[in-house]
Amino acid sequence: MKKTTIILGIILMISSVMFAQHTFTLTSKDLGGEATINEEFNGFGCTGKNQSPQLSWKNAPEGTKSFAITMYDPDAPTGSGWWHWIVFDIPSNKNELVSNAGNLKLNLAPEGSIQSITDYGTNGYGGPCPPEGHGLHQYIITVYALKTNNLGLSKSTNPAVVGYYLWNNTIAKASIVTYYKRSKV
């Protein structure tokens, strides 16, 4: 009985490790549990460096033809959250956005990808900038594995429309969450 229990335990442990290694996963070398002044927006009263984080993903599902990335703050006091970054039409042979790829002037995003407008009204990355004293806001960064090579949208497409096209074309998605707050000065 003891041998059977031990063998069953080993089999379960090995199968758990094997399956966990094959899930669609998003990671960042830059982000921890909280965003920093590096990611914070520079404007709207914030004085950060506005650098988009490095992101990498692995184990995209079969049939993936492109990727998209979004960064969303559901805690923004707007009634509809706040879209900080939207990148789509990332080729399927890419699995990383380097640090500061959200800065359009640096041309670091993968060729062919599109960074559409955010709720700041600009294209590219717009970092966290919650109202002073509003507490911690969560920033959900999601990579989408898509069943289409491109969404057929432009850099002027608003976040809600991009979201609708993502919803219609997503095979799988993976997210990481980071937090940020601004204390009253």
Side-chain angles (χ1 to χ4, degrees):
M1 185 68 158
K2 258 185 166 176
K3 277 186 179 182
T4 305
T5 305
I6 291 171
I7 291 171
L8 183 59
I10 291 171
I11 290 171
L12 285 173
M13 185 175 69
I14 291 171
S15 65
S16 295
V17 169
M18 286 174 47
F19 287 117
Q21 291 175 349
H22 295 335
T23 62
F24 189 38
T25 305
L26 175 64
T27 59
S28 175
K29 295 175 187 172
D30 295 341
L31 289 176
E34 289 192 43
T36 68
I37 195 79
N38 291 332
E39 292 83 31
E40 183 187 65
F41 189 64
N42 188 344
F44 277 45
C46 290
T47 58
K49 295 180 181 177
N50 201 44
Q51 296 175 349
S52 61
Q54 178 277 343
L55 300 170
S56 56
W57 51 93
K58 63 182 180 179
N59 301 321
E62 191 172 322
T64 299
K65 294 184 178 177
S66 70
F67 297 101
I69 300 279
T70 62
M71 181 172 158
Y72 176 70
D73 172 7
D75 301 318
T78 63
S80 60
W82 193 271
W83 292 98
H84 287 265
W85 196 20
I86 302 163
V87 188
F88 54 88
D89 293 354
I90 301 169
S92 63
N93 64 345
K94 302 296 180 187
N95 66 350
E96 179 181 30
L97 291 180
V98 298
S99 296
N100 219 7
N103 182 333
L104 299 178
K105 294 175 186 172
L106 298 178
N107 201 29
L108 296 173
E111 188 175 337
S113 64
I114 296 172
Q115 298 191 51
S116 67
I117 58 173
T118 67
D119 282 336
Y120 286 116
T122 60
N123 297 76
Y125 177 80
C129 184
E132 286 183 349
H134 200 253
L136 284 170
H137 282 220
Q138 60 182 326
Y139 297 88
I140 304 165
I141 302 170
T142 304
V143 60
Y144 301 80
L146 304 174
K147 63 184 176 184
T148 184
N149 290 323
N150 60 63
L151 293 179
L153 304 173
S154 74
K155 66 180 186 176
S156 62
T157 306
N158 73 52
V161 172
V162 174
Y164 178 77
Y165 277 74
L166 291 177
W167 180 81
N168 277 308
N169 289 286
T170 297
I171 299 170
K173 60 184 181 176
S175 299
I176 56 177
V177 177
T178 191
Y179 295 87
Y180 196 67
K181 72 176 178 179
R182 287 174 59 214
S183 300
K184 286 190 178 189
V185 224

